[in-house]
């Protein structure tokens, strides 16, 4: 075995040990105290003792909060604290950064949680609360408009809203609207009792129109 062989074996052994070495992950000491000091483990637990304050915090009462955990808890990423992070964002519209500090998690973690939890909530509850209307449903809606508003042959009242956003990278003018801002479009149809029957959030994947949370329009 010559010197070149020894060097080659040594290099191979070094690479092998490098691959086996456990990756070291640095976590800020503030985040390390999450289970003891974050908003969920302290404030939220105290709020559960006060029904009114709990409802104002989450826009849900305790019974509604706990019942929503049932259809979503099947997903592996839904402990109560994760669910609370998502609901707090939906209730307040606070920035990801603000919620990340409150719950002692990373900003990207909040973004991931909101995306995944809202998707699971939608999939779990859409058939119960906003199913695609059947032929009989449409007839009932039309009858409601005729009786309540003297407006025959109407299947719903539709309106839309531009939700202002920061233009995504490389999106060009896809999200640019006539008001001079960038936005996604929220469309909704209600029946004669002001109940939502169809919703549609229009968004774009580069150069392809897609619908996001849609109960009928994309069907």
């Amino acid at each position: 075995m010559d010197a070149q062989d020894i060097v080659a074996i040594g290099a191979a052994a070094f690479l092998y040990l490098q691959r086996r070495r456990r990756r070291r992950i640095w976590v800020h000491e503030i985040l390390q105290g999450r289970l003891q000091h974050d908003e969920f483990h302290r404030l939220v637990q105290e709020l559960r003792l006060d029904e009114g304050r709990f409802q104002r915090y989450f826009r849900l009462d305790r019974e509604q909060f706990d019942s929503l955990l049932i259809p979503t808890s099947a997903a592996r990423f839904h402990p109560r604290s994760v669910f609370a992070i998502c609901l707090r964002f939906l209730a307040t519209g606070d920035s990801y950064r603000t919620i990340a500090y409150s719950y002692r998690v990373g900003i990207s973690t909040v973004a991931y949680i909101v995306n995944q939890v809202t998707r699971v909530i939608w999939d779990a509850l859409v058939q119960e609360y906003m199913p695609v209307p059947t032929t009989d449903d449409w007839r009932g809606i039309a009858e409601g408009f005729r009786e309540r508003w003297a407006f025959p042959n109407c299947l719903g009242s539709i309106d839309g809203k531009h939700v202002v956003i920061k233009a995504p990278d490389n999106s060009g003018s896809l999200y640019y609207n006539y008001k001079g801002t960038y936005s996604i479009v929220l469309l909704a149809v209600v029946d004669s009792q002001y109940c939502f029957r169809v919703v549609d959030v229009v968004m774009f994947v580069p150069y392809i129109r897609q619908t996001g949370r849609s109960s009928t329009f994309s069907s």
Side-chain angles (χ1 to χ4, degrees):
M1 182 179 297
D2 57 21
Q4 290 183 343
D5 292 332
I6 295 175
V7 171
I9 293 173
F14 175 78
L15 291 175
Y16 175 75
L17 292 175
Q18 284 290 95
R19 291 175 180 175
R20 291 197 59 185
R21 182 178 297 173
R22 177 177 294 181
R23 182 181 176 184
R24 298 181 62 185
I25 301 176
W26 180 82
V27 178
H28 196 283
E29 60 183 10
I30 291 178
L31 303 186
Q32 291 177 354
R34 178 174 60 85
L35 296 180
Q36 293 78 34
H37 305 296
D38 78 325
E39 199 157 304
F40 175 78
H41 291 89
R42 299 182 71 87
L43 177 61
V44 174
Q45 303 311 311
E46 295 175 359
L47 289 175
R48 291 188 69 89
L49 303 177
D50 188 314
E51 182 66 45
R53 292 178 182 275
F54 186 94
Q55 196 279 334
R56 288 191 291 273
Y57 182 86
F58 282 122
R59 302 290 182 89
L60 296 173
D61 60 35
R62 287 173 298 181
E63 183 178 353
Q64 292 170 328
F65 181 94
D66 293 337
S67 66
L68 273 177
L69 286 173
I70 297 173
T72 60
S73 61
R76 288 173 294 181
F77 49 80
H78 280 284
R80 288 177 180 270
S81 59
V82 170
F83 193 70
I85 289 173
C86 178
L87 284 185
R88 184 59 177 166
F89 171 77
L90 297 177
T92 64
D94 280 347
S95 68
Y96 288 163
R97 184 181 302 275
T98 299
I99 295 176
Y101 279 121
S102 296
Y103 284 84
R104 299 196 181 213
V105 296
I107 298 173
S108 61
T109 300
V110 174
Y112 174 81
I113 287 172
V114 170
N115 179 271
Q116 295 299 319
V117 174
T118 52
R119 189 179 302 275
V120 170
I121 292 174
W122 175 267
D123 292 341
L125 300 181
V126 63
Q127 291 305 317
E128 181 177 355
Y129 292 98
M130 196 175 291
V132 176
T134 64
T135 300
D136 290 338
D137 290 332
W138 289 123
R139 288 172 178 162
I141 292 171
E143 183 64 18
F145 275 100
R146 187 188 67 81
E147 292 182 354
R148 185 180 178 91
W149 301 107
F151 197 72
N153 303 318
C154 178
L155 297 178
S157 179
I158 185 171
D159 197 5
K161 177 178 176 58
H162 286 273
V163 181
V164 178
I165 63 170
K166 179 181 178 181
D169 294 337
N170 304 315
S171 62
S173 61
L174 283 177
Y175 293 91
Y176 192 75
N177 62 58
Y178 71 95
K179 296 182 178 181
T181 61
Y182 294 90
S183 62
I184 57 176
V185 180
L186 170 64
L187 292 174
V189 174
V190 299
D191 61 21
S192 61
Q193 303 290 331
Y194 312 113
C195 295
F196 286 96
R197 304 307 295 259
V198 178
V199 296
D200 183 70
V201 181
V202 179
M203 59 187 181
F204 296 90
V205 172
Y207 312 112
I208 301 176
R209 180 189 183 282
Q210 290 196 351
T211 53
R213 303 290 192 268
S214 176
S215 58
T216 295
F217 292 144
S218 62
S219 301

